[in-house]
């Protein structure tokens, strides 16, 4: 079963050449309901390619299928894997073969989740062009930008330990280390850089649970804080931080220490047990599941408040 990527994007408006966050959610539900009643011409945008939108109802909610119509000059064939027979697909003037992406509008912050059905399926830039080209909201010029998770580097100051650290540092960032940094993480990076030159280094250090290892978790946190200037420029950096609760046991929280686009990998079944196609339903389920998993980070990133 193939994994596909869910990408999250914020829809913003462009005024006087500047992108601005929309202060309240747009009526995407109403727009999709209207789209369902529109003829094909009314939901088609002709740009570099022909893009058609289709409303897809599922579990009492409307979602969007965005299709790129394959060019009539593309050579398309079908093979029967049992017999090896080939059949050419001829595209008539009244039909078109489609590359499809699934789009879910989330109920907060004008955030959309997108899963492309293939490498040539519509991207977020295609969705942006289609929204503007079809004038779904005539008085608005839209732009889509990736939702970027905030860095939580400040949380190092309030933690009492770290039970796990994962850092990926590219070779060109090693120069941020200096001799005064003598902690274990700094030494590991410095030795690797001096030994192997311009390399990327990925470190994963985990300290098991247990009171007897409390000092180890405290030391790992201190070493991580010491190289915070390197961490903020890392390719990837996350840590499971430990927080002390005076009235109970220690609590842990996974935090992201660098800004990054919020995405998720999801398995998407194409057929059910009877061989029926369920790829669109599976894609919607996967997007909504990813949105639920990352809801806190998504809301924080677009200033949508707590769930």
């Amino acid at each position: 079963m193939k994994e596909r990527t869910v990408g999250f994007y914020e829809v913003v408006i462009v005024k006087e050449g500047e992108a601005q966050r929309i202060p309240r959610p747009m009526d995407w539900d109403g727009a999709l309901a209207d789209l369902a009643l529109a003829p094909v011409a009314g939901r088609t945008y002709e740009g570099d390619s022909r893009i058609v939108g289709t409303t897809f109802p599922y579990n009492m909610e409307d979602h969007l299928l965005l299709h790129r119509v394959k060019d009539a000059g593309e050579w398309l064939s079908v093979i029967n894997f049992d017999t090896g027979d080939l059949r050419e697909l001829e595209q008539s003037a009244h039909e078109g073969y489609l590359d499809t992406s699934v789009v879910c509008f989330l109920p907060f912050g004008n955030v959309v989740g997108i899963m492309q059905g293939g490498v040539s399926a519509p991207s977020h830039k295609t969705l942006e062009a289609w929204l503007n080209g079809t004038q779904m909201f005539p008085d608005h010029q839209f732009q889509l930008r990736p939702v970027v998770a905030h860095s939580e580097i400040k949380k190092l100051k309030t933690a009492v330990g770290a039970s796990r650290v994962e850092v990926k540092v590219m070779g060109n960032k090693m120069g941020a280390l200096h001799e005064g940094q003598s902690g274990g993480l700094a030494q590991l990076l410095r030795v690797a850089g001096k030994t192997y030159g311009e390399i990327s280094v990925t470190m994963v250090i985990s300290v098991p649970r247990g009171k007897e290892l409390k000092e180890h978790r405290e030391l790992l946190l201190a070493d991580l804080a010491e190289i915070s200037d390197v961490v903020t420029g890392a390719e990837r950096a996350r840590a499971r931080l430990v927080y002390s609760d005076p009235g109970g046991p220690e609590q842990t929280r996974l935090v992201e220490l660098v800004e990054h686009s919020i995405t998720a990998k999801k398995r998407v079944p194409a057929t059910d047990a009877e061989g029926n196609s369920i790829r669109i339903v599976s894609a919607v389920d996967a997007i909504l599941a990813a949105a639920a998993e990352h809801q806190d980070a998504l809301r924080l990133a677009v200033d949508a408040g707590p769930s």
Side-chain angles (χ1 to χ4, degrees), residues 109-161:
N110 298 297
V111 175
V112 299
I114 301 176
M115 179 181 289
Q116 293 178 263
V119 293
S120 60
S123 66
H124 71 285
K125 282 297 183 183
T126 310
L127 175 59
E128 177 185 297
W130 179 84
L131 287 172
N132 293 323
T134 58
Q135 295 189 317
M136 180 174 274
F137 292 90
D139 298 329
H140 294 78
Q141 181 75 15
F142 292 116
Q143 185 179 106
L144 267 73
R145 58 189 185 190
V147 180
V148 177
H150 286 285
S151 168
E152 298 179 287
I153 194 74
K154 292 181 180 179
K155 288 185 168 59
L156 294 179
K157 296 180 180 180
T158 57
V160 298

Side-chain angles (χ1 to χ4, degrees), residues 199-219:
I199 60 169
S200 66
V201 178
T202 300
M203 300 189 304
V204 179
I205 299 176
S206 181
V207 180
R209 292 184 178 184
K211 291 183 178 180
E212 68 278 6
L213 297 176
K214 179 181 178 182
E215 292 184 2
H216 295 261
R217 290 188 288 274
E218 293 173 348
L219 179 60

Side-chain angles (χ1 to χ4, degrees), residues 43-57:
R43 44 193 175 90
T44 299
Y45 168 67
E46 297 277 358
D48 294 335
S49 57
R50 182 185 299 180
I51 305 299
V52 181
T54 303
T55 298
F56 178 72

Side-chain angles (χ1 to χ4, degrees), residues 26-148:
M26 303 288 291
D27 184 15
W28 301 112
D29 289 338
L32 290 173
D34 292 341
L35 186 73
L37 303 175
V40 174
R43 44 193 175 90
T44 299
Y45 168 67
E46 297 277 358
D48 294 335
S49 57
R50 182 185 299 180
I51 305 299
V52 181
T54 303
T55 298
F56 178 72
Y58 175 58
N59 280 351
M60 306 298 290
E61 293 182 338
D62 285 338
H63 308 283
L64 175 67
L65 304 183
L66 201 62
H67 316 282
R68 182 184 74 87
V69 182
K70 287 183 173 293
D71 187 271
E74 294 185 56
W75 293 6
L76 303 174
S77 305
V78 173
I79 185 172
N80 184 315
F81 289 115
D82 293 329
T83 65
D85 293 337
L86 290 174
R87 176 168 55 89
E88 300 300 320
L89 293 178
E90 299 296 340
Q91 186 169 325
S92 72
H94 301 288
E95 294 180 334
Y97 298 105
L98 309 174
D99 283 322
T100 300
S101 293
V102 179
V103 181
C104 297
F105 292 86
L106 305 189
F108 59 85
N110 298 297
V111 175
V112 299
I114 301 176
M115 179 181 289
Q116 293 178 263
V119 293
S120 60
S123 66
H124 71 285
K125 282 297 183 183
T126 310
L127 175 59
E128 177 185 297
W130 179 84
L131 287 172
N132 293 323
T134 58
Q135 295 189 317
M136 180 174 274
F137 292 90
D139 298 329
H140 294 78
Q141 181 75 15
F142 292 116
Q143 185 179 106
L144 267 73
R145 58 189 185 190
V147 180
V148 177

